[in-house]
Amino acid sequence: MEFVKDLDNADINNIYLFGTSFSGGHVITLSSKHPEIRAAIAQCPYTDTFASIFAVPFITQMKLFLTLCANCVTSLFGHTIMVKLADKPNKRALMVDRDYEKYFDMMTKDSKTFKNITPITTILEFVKYSPGKYAKNVKVPILYAICENDTVAPAKETLKYVKESEKGIIKKYHCGHFDIYSGEHFRKAIGDYIEFFKNNLHNQ
């Protein structure tokens, strides 16, 4: 936001935010702290660390925990263990979903630099950050797009938080975390987002 405010061609009186998944959580945090934001959309937002952890299959939980323990040893020698960002259920990855592959490939196929890996210590950063707790402080219009079958950012916990936003609008989509990025769920969501932004633009 600070970068955008410094741009010569930016209208700093009309700032609208959009974020999805982890950045959807950032949108909640920013919207609670910056009243100058006109409106925001948080798509399948990451809101609660422990809800996401417990949504992961037990086998994956144990693999990540043991890897984190092993990293405590390897870090003494300057080596950090890497794990996948996303993989199939029961694999060692931060996000697990049986359908992740087709969407992940679609989003990253043209990238020459992206790698599906991250330091195992990233988990520790997640533990320190649960943006859902800021939802009750959001005073600006905000649309929450909730994927009802989400196994990465569980909908049940997210709904508990986002219902506390003063001007929050909740839209539910009967799909998983990655399904909203394409096909019929994508088209439906985009239509809702355009309408939401148009309504808030005209009501200023």
Side-chain angles (χ1 to χ4, degrees), residues 95-129:
M95 297 183 291
V96 291
D97 189 285
R98 60 185 177 81
D99 294 324
Y100 92 96
E101 206 162 21
K102 60 181 178 181
Y103 300 114
F104 225 59
D105 288 346
M106 177 182 67
M107 291 185 283
T108 62
K109 63 181 180 180
D110 295 325
S111 174
K112 294 182 173 61
T113 57
F114 177 80
K115 294 182 180 179
N116 184 21
I117 56 173
T118 188
I120 184 62
T121 48
T122 300
I123 291 177
L124 301 178
E125 298 302 317
F126 282 121
V127 171
K128 295 187 292 184
Y129 183 51

Side-chain angles (χ1 to χ4, degrees), residues 21 24-25 28 42-49 51-52 131-133 135-136 143-148 150-165 170-172 177:
S21 195
I28 298 173
Q43 177 178 273
C44 53
Y46 171 85
T47 56
D48 188 289
T49 295
S52 292
K133 65 184 179 182
K136 63 180 181 292
L143 187 153
Y144 296 105
I146 309 298
C147 298
E148 294 181 298
D150 203 323
T151 58
V152 176
K156 183 178 179 180
E157 293 301 320
T158 296
L159 286 168
K160 288 180 182 179
Y161 288 114
V162 302
K163 286 177 180 178
E164 297 182 348
S165 293
I170 298 172
K171 293 284 187 178
K172 298 179 183 179
H177 189 80

Side-chain angles (χ1 to χ4, degrees), residues 15-47 129 131-146 158-159 161-173 192-201 203-204:
I15 297 177
Y16 297 79
L17 299 183
F18 174 88
T20 186
S21 195
F22 197 64
S23 63
H26 293 331
V27 162
I28 298 173
T29 302
L30 286 169
S31 297
S32 72
K33 297 180 178 181
H34 293 272
E36 72 272 23
I37 293 169
R38 287 301 183 97
I41 294 174
Q43 177 178 273
C44 53
Y46 171 85
T47 56
Y129 183 51
K133 65 184 179 182
Y134 296 106
K136 63 180 181 292
N137 299 323
V138 176
K139 307 300 181 185
V140 303
I142 183 168
L143 187 153
Y144 296 105
I146 309 298
T158 296
L159 286 168
Y161 288 114
V162 302
K163 286 177 180 178
E164 297 182 348
S165 293
E166 182 178 313
K167 297 180 180 179
I169 295 175
I170 298 172
K171 293 284 187 178
K172 298 179 183 179
Y173 305 91
D192 291 338
Y193 302 163
I194 292 172
E195 181 181 5
F196 172 76
F197 276 145
K198 279 184 176 179
N199 288 341
N200 281 282
L201 179 65
N203 290 334
Q204 298 300 332

